[in-house]
Amino acid sequence: MMSFLKKPYRSSTRVLLGMMISTWLSLSHSATASQCGTFEIIQGPDSGTADGTISHLAALNDGTAWAISSLNGETVLLYFNGSAWVAQTLPEGIEGIAFADSTATPDGDVWLTGTRAYSVYEVEVIFLRARNGSIDRIDHFFSPRAPVDISGSSASDVWALTGAGDVIHFDGSDWTQMDVPSPYQRLYPRGIYAVGPNDVWAVGYGGDGRAEYIGYTQHWDGSSWTTVWTPFDGLDNHFFRGVDGSATDDVWVVGYINYSQTIALHWDGSSWTQFSGPPSGAPFLDVSALTSDDAYATPYSQNDFNTLFYWNGEGWREIIPLNPPEGVAVLWRDLAKAGSCDLWITGSYLIESSYNTLVARLQPRAVKGDLNGDDNVTIEDAVEALNTITSKSTGTINLRADVNNDGVIGIAEVIYILGEVAGTP
């Protein structure tokens, strides 16, 4: 059996130098390893030349996505097929729809919702479901207020929050409107997040006075809706704008105090706790939680160009997710998660008089030669490479570990991996 051993060091100086480099690498890694991956630009639907923005985005873990876009002054439904954005022809019978929001379920369905004018007292609510790359279901009904947010835990558990504070639930077959007790006379519902059929959060702000804005959270436990206490109960000018989570004991509500200070409330399964925001105290607009140690928030202020906010399990900080094209300033508008380290973000940037769309995707950080994705290069990776070459691989291969960027796992990867294992310089 062939063995691969590291070459011995030739002097104490080399040992010392190796120890110094090792220590430096470990410190460098600890300072930057909190993010699970890196953001890469996805070609925008307008190719940087037309006037357009994406207002809402829904992404799937197969690399496809749906978007609601304003392109050249018109609302357009777009589908990203893995390589390019394609404008979709709207189905007959929904002409004039004003899209409001979109979401993707973990099992691969996308829901888009919008409204059309109907009467003085009601609007026509429309839900479109996309499955396997095309619209396959359309639902219509009438409601006093339009949906403001939508979330789904599965194909048979989708929830929409309306501007009146009520919810509409899809059980896999039909939509059912559900009354929710109002905590205030005046209500501004803003976000909904479905952990599961018996675990749903709705948030917003409201008050009993004309200019009173008190944040609130409401919870569905499978049988009833209840208002849940937060540290900001009864405090004016507290705006709860977004909610998302990764588990029943990992839920975030974000917003701002008096339009200028961070609100970052975390639910641990039993109570809400306010966490400090970034050092700037910047207000948050929306949040997406990938895991308990990975969450991202968008800025409320239009002065926070290029900035996202990142939670690493210990605190919130400002990050620049990527270097914008042509040095322009980007205002990030929406977040769409597709997996535990798969997040899409979209924003717009101004060049002369045109607003252009920018889309980026967070994916796992690639380690050259790490075919099995365990963040190490070992003999197991060489075996995976050989199995791939001989079509015997049964595991998931990380193609981003390609060592020479030719898009193929081959002999070059085997040679590189064996050299790393053997300690070849």
Side-chain angles (χ1 to χ4, degrees), residues 141-417:
F141 54 90
F142 301 99
S143 173
R145 300 290 292 275
V148 296
D149 197 21
I150 187 170
S151 175
S153 70
S154 71
S156 59
D157 183 48
V158 183
W159 300 76
L161 178 68
T162 76
D166 298 327
V167 300
I168 312 168
H169 179 242
F170 181 72
D171 62 4
S173 298
D174 300 299
W175 289 93
T176 303
Q177 299 191 64
M178 183 184 300
D179 292 333
V180 179
S182 177
Y184 300 107
Q185 293 180 5
R186 291 169 41 259
L187 215 60
Y188 301 92
R190 286 296 179 261
I192 192 165
Y193 165 58
V195 186
N198 302 322
D199 191 359
V200 184
W201 289 95
V203 307
Y205 51 90
D208 296 326
R210 176 175 294 181
E212 197 173 36
Y213 305 101
I214 302 169
Y216 69 86
T217 66
Q218 293 179 296
H219 184 254
W220 169 257
D221 63 4
S223 61
S224 63
W225 285 93
T226 56
T227 300
V228 182
W229 178 91
T230 78
F232 299 126
D233 271 13
L235 300 180
D236 197 7
N237 288 320
H238 284 63
F239 302 82
F240 293 178
R241 294 300 303 263
V243 58
D244 193 48
S246 67
T248 190
D249 59 353
D250 180 41
V251 181
W252 286 97
V253 169
V254 300
Y256 43 84
I257 303 170
N258 201 27
Y259 300 96
S260 60
Q261 300 175 51
T262 307
I263 288 178
L265 286 168
H266 183 260
W267 178 260
D268 61 5
S270 60
S271 62
W272 291 105
T273 302
Q274 164 69 358
F275 279 81
S276 298
S280 66
F284 290 177
L285 182 61
D286 203 2
V287 64
S288 184
L290 307 181
T291 69
S292 59
D293 295 332
D294 272 290
Y296 294 81
T298 53
Y300 167 76
S301 172
Q302 296 192 9
N303 294 322
D304 290 316
F305 288 109
N306 303 342
T307 302
L308 283 181
F309 305 103
Y310 175 67
W311 167 262
N312 63 1
E314 299 179 356
W316 286 95
R317 60 186 176 90
E318 296 180 4
I319 63 168
I320 305 296
L322 47 79
N323 294 318
E326 303 178 41
V328 298
V330 179
L331 177 61
W332 299 110
R333 295 176 178 272
D334 197 22
L335 304 158
K337 66 180 176 184
S340 60
C341 190
D342 191 351
L343 177 72
W344 293 57
I345 57 175
T346 182
S348 60
Y349 59 95
L350 184 65
I351 296 182
E352 296 180 350
S353 60
S354 293
Y355 281 98
N356 296 258
T357 296
L358 185 64
V359 180
R361 185 184 182 190
L362 173 75
Q363 289 197 282
R365 188 177 292 106
V367 176
K368 283 188 176 182
D370 176 26
L371 270 66
N372 61 10
D374 65 356
D375 292 332
N376 295 292
V377 178
T378 64
I379 194 65
E380 285 79 10
D381 295 303
V383 173
E384 287 290 352
L386 290 171
N387 285 337
T388 301
I389 294 171
T390 57
S391 302
K392 294 180 180 180
S393 176
T394 59
T396 300
I397 299 299
N398 182 12
L399 292 177
R400 290 163 56 82
D402 176 13
V403 302
N404 56 359
N405 299 316
D406 64 354
V408 177
I409 301 300
I411 292 298
E413 282 66 35
V414 175
I415 295 173
Y416 177 86
I417 293 167

